[in-house]
Amino acid sequence: MTLRVGVIGGGQLARMMIAPAVELGLDLRVLAEDDGMSARLAATAVGDYRDIDAVRAFAAGVDVITFDHEHVPQDVLRTLVAEGVAVHPGPDALRFAQDKLAMRARLTELGIPQPEWAAVRDAEELQAFLDAHDGRGVVKTPRGGYDGKGVRVVRAADEAQDWLDAVAEGDALLVEELVPFVRELAQQVARRPSGQIVAYPVVETVQRGGVCAEVIAPAPAATERLSQVAEEIGRTIAEGLAVTGMLAVELFETDDERILVNELAMRPHNSGHWGQDGAVTGQFEQHLRAVADLPLGSTAPRAAWSVMVNILGGPTEGTLEERFDAAMAEHPTAKIHTYGKAPRPGRKVGHVNVSGDDLDDAVYVARAAAAHFD
Amino acid sequence: MTLRVGVIGGGQLARMMIAPAVELGLDLRVLAEDDGMSARLAATAVGDYRDIDAVRAFAAGVDVITFDHEHVPQDVLRTLVAEGVAVHPGPDALRFAQDKLAMRARLTELGIPQPEWAAVRDAEELQAFLDAHDGRGVVKTPRGGYDGKGVRVVRAADEAQDWLDAVAEGDALLVEELVPFVRELAQQVARRPSGQIVAYPVVETVQRGGVCAEVIAPAPAATERLSQVAEEIGRTIAEGLAVTGMLAVELFETDDERILVNELAMRPHNSGHWGQDGAVTGQFEQHLRAVADLPLGSTAPRAAWSVMVNILGGPTEGTLEERFDAAMAEHPTAKIHTYGKAPRPGRKVGHVNVSGDDLDDAVYVARAAAAHFD
């Protein structure tokens, strides 16, 4: 029987699973939020991922359920599992990606290096944290944030008063120290239900306005120690949280060479797009292998350097495809990936990968090619 | 507008266009021969490619027509062109891939090195050719042959009597000298309607029973001269025959270092599957770019060596996917490509690509991984 992998969510991460699924001969089926989503070619159902009936009906036609995003509610996930559906990652892992307070508490238990943090329920508790951390901190809503949303740097408790006012009884906000990092890194690992783990090289990520703009793989000037520490963090979290599928760990590197965990994502992640062209096994193929509990592929880079540059927003008029002529003519080594989404300011609508022996050259070509799509 | 590329034929070549089409954001539509074909995910119509009404209706929904195979009749192709449809490759090019006598005559005009050949209409003419070529020759039906079908080595005219009897008035068989080749090579080039041509490195192909079994890219021990001659042959044929899209030129290398043209294919070709993982731009992406008249991508290899091994026949019971566990566990660098076709003796049902710095190692891994699917 051909293995049927069901993906909840029809965004670009589901879309980019289509290519490896076709090549491997896996039957990829997508439960999309709407018609015309990014992964429309593989969409076999349209429905609300919060609706257990819609999700249950979709799950009945596949061998394993995985995700384009982390927003499927716990009660939906737990109902599926109780009914015998294979769900990867499962609800016990996903809750740490859905709730940043739970994530911080669990990483503390695991002894993972992370920013100092606290759960704060009111202005008094928040101000106490700020006072103890040079008068500043990063306040986060524990649930629902992404791409910089639900994150605010504050220098006084009243700057988060609106969020504090909205905190429900028994709930809290997360506050973290503002880490004086020198750069951001990301570590990806893949883990199968049966336990096998593979790690990718640690990469450098560049954020602009809270959104990933560029990735360099591997991270330049990464020492052996840094690479080992990052990999060990990734492996420990994957095992400690029982993650199945791809795990991305966003990291801060400090000026005193510490590495601290910023965020987690339990799915393919923007920091791993480089591997579609730059690694023997890209993260989308690897995620499919992992959730289907197939042996994992080599994570070796195919080139000395790979650079990913996001296409943010896209052209103000027309489609990305209308820019192909100029971009392709000038940059024949650029690998262009589009998401089939309408251009809109700030929206991730595609990315460009470039690999090569010379880092400066790869960065230049990737940026120049991506710039054709602005 | 998103560019719509229509592919006539739903086999594995159309299937392998899906992955690059998704990434580039091209709208790939396939006219399949039947339900459940290899390229079923992109199939938007089912119909007979010899039926002008079916083909015309399909063509009405796309911006350019291209092919999974070379069997669409000339009258269908010419009707489309007359009605203003962009067809790549066009009928004037394709007739040389459809008719081996026309191909030999045209390559002679172009001064391309090829085996000695003749058009023979009866036993007397065939015997005369054999007598002049050490008493042997390769007889070919000019049209409809593939993978060794329609090709016969003979030592006397009566060994081809059944084919001679079937030759229609005004038609002929092709006979060629039996070339004492030391190995077979293949040269691929891509050409856009607007004239741009790019060439891939010349590769070595190994045939078993008239079917491609393995490809090594680039061809081992290829001298600079050999590479240049092969590329020049590819470019000259692409221009001389006005090919658009991918062109594969199958070549004999003789013990006196001559290179002679064996066959042509005007589409992605088995000799180029290595490039899906081993070249910056694989042939399926390149074909899409070429037929859409987009700038062509870099043909540079991503590794010192890439090896492709076909999966012929497949398992006698069950599916390829049931062999994934063992194949993937033992060979994490092997890239497995499946065609979604039921296993059958001798049938091409998939292939394995392996790239690396060491040729012997790559050959070993590719063969060992492919063997898991027997």
Side-chain angles (χ1 to χ4, degrees):
Chain A
M1 264 297 286
T2 301
L3 200 62
R4 300 161 303 173
V5 178
V7 185
I8 297 182
Q12 66 258 29
L13 303 181
R15 178 191 182 91
M16 290 188 273
M17 295 178 203
I18 297 173
V22 168
E23 295 307 316
L24 284 177
L26 303 177
D27 184 359
L28 192 77
R29 302 183 181 198
V30 171
L31 174 62
E33 295 82 344
D34 232 321
D35 289 327
M37 294 284 293
S38 195
R40 53 191 169 272
L41 183 62
T44 56
V46 170
D48 186 341
Y49 57 80
R50 296 163 299 193
D51 173 2
I52 180 62
D53 293 327
V55 173
R56 185 189 275 129
F58 176 69
V62 300
D63 298 302
V64 57
I65 286 284
T66 189
F67 309 96
D68 172 73
H69 57 72
E70 292 139 337
H71 307 318
V72 180
Q74 281 284 319
D75 58 345
V76 172
L77 298 171
R78 290 185 187 281
T79 302
L80 291 180
V81 171
E83 292 174 357
V85 177
V87 178
H88 296 294
D92 288 339
L94 269 174
R95 73 187 181 92
F96 298 111
Q98 295 175 330
D99 185 325
K100 290 173 184 168
L101 275 171
M103 182 267 281
R104 285 295 179 215
R106 182 70 183 126
L107 296 196
T108 299
E109 288 173 5
L110 291 171
I112 299 287
Q114 46 181 347
E116 292 187 25
W117 66 278
V120 294
R121 281 156 299 183
D122 55 36
E124 196 177 349
E125 289 183 353
L126 175 53
Q127 192 60 51
F129 183 92
L130 299 179
D131 291 345
H133 293 89
D134 297 329
R136 41 191 205 175
V138 184
V139 181
K140 298 181 177 179
T141 55
R143 288 171 295 278
Y146 68 97
D147 277 357
K149 293 179 180 64
V151 176
R152 194 183 291 172
V153 176
V154 302
R155 293 176 178 273
D158 62 5
E159 293 175 26
Q161 196 58 54
D162 53 337
W163 286 359
L164 287 165
D165 290 343
V167 169
E169 183 70 30
D171 205 351
L173 293 180
L174 170 64
V175 60
E176 300 171 357
E177 67 169 314
L178 188 65
V179 174
F181 63 83
V182 291
R183 62 174 174 172
E184 292 186 74
L185 305 171
Q187 173 67 50
Q188 286 192 303
V189 300
R191 182 173 175 274
R192 294 171 65 182
S194 55
Q196 185 192 9
I197 297 184
V198 293
Y200 284 85
V202 66
V203 303
E204 179 173 340
T205 67
V206 180
Q207 322 286 322
R208 294 200 188 100
V211 178
C212 178
E214 294 184 13
V215 172
I216 300 172
T223 60
E224 184 73 11
R225 191 196 70 86
L226 183 142
S227 297
Q228 284 176 357
V229 169
E231 178 173 334
E232 191 55 32
I233 288 172
R235 288 177 178 270
T236 302
I237 294 175
E239 284 181 345
L241 276 52
V243 179
T244 42
M246 287 297 305
L247 166 70
V249 184
E250 296 182 47
L251 300 161
F252 295 128
E253 183 180 1
T254 67
D255 55 7
D256 54 352
E257 290 203 348
R258 287 181 305 145
I259 299 178
L260 306 174
V261 172
N262 180 20
E263 306 266 0
L264 303 182
M266 295 182 192
R267 50 173 169 76
H269 185 254
N270 203 159
S271 62
H273 291 355
W274 67 275
Q276 290 174 301
D277 303 294
V280 172
T281 311
Q283 66 171 343
F284 299 99
E285 178 181 343
Q286 198 76 281
H287 187 72
L288 291 174
R289 288 182 178 219
V291 302
D293 206 13
L294 291 168
L296 302 176
S298 165
T299 58
R302 288 186 181 277
W305 299 104
S306 291
V307 177
M308 191 279 329
V309 175
N310 274 333
I311 302 170
L312 289 170
T316 50
E317 283 189 10
T319 65
L320 291 181
E321 291 73 21
E322 289 165 3
R323 308 298 182 92
F324 275 179
D325 264 307
M328 288 176 170
E330 289 181 31
H331 306 292
T333 61
K335 304 307 297 175
I336 299 163
H337 301 266
T338 72
Y339 305 159
K341 293 158 72 172
R344 188 197 300 161
R347 191 181 208 194
K348 292 178 184 174
V349 294
H351 67 272
V352 174
N353 287 334
V354 175
S355 297
D357 291 334
D358 184 274
L359 176 56
D360 289 344
D361 187 57
V363 168
Y364 168 76
V365 173
R367 286 182 184 167
H372 279 287
F373 298 99
D374 288 343
Chain B
M1 265 297 287
T2 301
L3 199 62
R4 299 162 302 174
V5 178
V7 184
I8 297 183
Q12 66 258 29
L13 302 180
R15 177 190 182 92
M16 291 188 272
M17 295 178 202
I18 297 173
V22 167
E23 296 307 316
L24 285 176
L26 303 178
D27 185 358
L28 191 76
R29 301 184 183 196
V30 171
L31 173 61
E33 294 83 343
D34 232 320
D35 289 328
M37 293 285 292
S38 195
R40 53 192 169 271
L41 183 64
T44 57
V46 170
D48 186 341
Y49 58 80
R50 295 162 300 190
D51 173 3
I52 181 61
D53 292 329
V55 173
R56 185 189 275 130
F58 176 70
V62 300
D63 298 303
V64 58
I65 286 284
T66 188
F67 309 96
D68 171 74
H69 57 72
E70 292 140 336
H71 308 317
V72 180
Q74 281 284 318
D75 59 343
V76 171
L77 298 172
R78 291 186 186 280
T79 302
L80 291 180
V81 171
E83 292 173 357
V85 177
V87 177
H88 296 295
D92 288 338
L94 268 174
R95 72 187 181 93
F96 297 110
Q98 295 174 331
D99 185 326
K100 289 173 184 168
L101 274 171
M103 182 269 281
R104 286 293 178 215
R106 180 71 181 125
L107 295 197
T108 298
E109 289 173 7
L110 290 171
I112 298 287
Q114 48 181 343
E116 292 187 26
W117 66 276
V120 293
R121 282 157 297 184
D122 55 36
E124 196 176 351
E125 289 183 354
L126 175 54
Q127 192 59 52
F129 183 91
L130 299 180
D131 291 345
H133 294 87
D134 297 329
R136 33 190 213 181
V138 183
V139 180
K140 298 181 177 180
T141 55
R143 287 170 297 279
Y146 67 97
D147 277 356
K149 294 179 181 63
V151 176
R152 194 182 291 172
V153 176
V154 302
R155 293 178 176 272
D158 61 6
E159 293 174 27
Q161 196 58 53
D162 53 336
W163 286 359
L164 286 165
D165 290 344
V167 169
E169 183 70 30
D171 205 350
L173 293 180
L174 171 64
V175 60
E176 300 171 358
E177 67 169 313
L178 187 66
V179 175
F181 62 84
V182 291
R183 61 174 174 173
E184 293 186 74
L185 305 171
Q187 174 67 51
Q188 286 193 303
V189 300
R191 182 172 176 275
R192 294 171 64 184
S194 55
Q196 186 193 7
I197 296 184
V198 293
Y200 283 85
V202 66
V203 303
E204 179 173 341
T205 67
V206 179
Q207 322 287 322
R208 295 202 187 100
V211 178
C212 178
E214 295 184 13
V215 172
I216 300 172
T223 61
E224 185 72 10
R225 191 198 70 87
L226 182 142
S227 298
Q228 285 176 356
V229 169
E231 178 173 336
E232 192 55 33
I233 288 172
R235 288 177 179 270
T236 303
I237 294 174
E239 286 181 343
L241 275 54
V243 178
T244 43
M246 288 296 306
L247 166 70
V249 184
E250 296 182 46
L251 300 161
F252 295 127
E253 183 180 359
T254 66
D255 54 7
D256 54 351
E257 290 203 350
R258 287 181 305 146
I259 298 178
L260 306 174
V261 172
N262 179 20
E263 305 267 359
L264 303 182
M266 295 182 192
R267 49 172 170 76
H269 185 256
N270 204 158
S271 62
H273 291 355
W274 68 274
Q276 291 174 300
D277 303 293
V280 172
T281 311
Q283 68 171 344
F284 299 99
E285 177 180 344
Q286 197 77 280
H287 187 74
L288 291 173
R289 288 182 178 219
V291 302
D293 205 12
L294 291 168
L296 302 177
S298 165
T299 57
R302 288 186 182 278
W305 299 105
S306 292
V307 176
M308 192 278 328
V309 175
N310 274 333
I311 302 170
L312 289 170
T316 49
E317 285 190 10
T319 66
L320 292 181
E321 292 73 19
E322 288 165 3
R323 309 298 183 92
F324 275 178
D325 263 307
M328 289 176 169
E330 288 180 33
H331 305 291
T333 61
K335 304 308 295 177
I336 300 163
H337 300 267
T338 71
Y339 305 160
K341 293 158 70 173
R344 189 196 300 160
R347 193 181 206 193
K348 292 178 185 174
V349 294
H351 67 271
V352 174
N353 286 334
V354 175
S355 295
D357 292 333
D358 184 273
L359 175 56
D360 289 343
D361 187 55
V363 169
Y364 168 76
V365 173
R367 286 181 185 169
H372 278 288
F373 298 99
D374 288 343

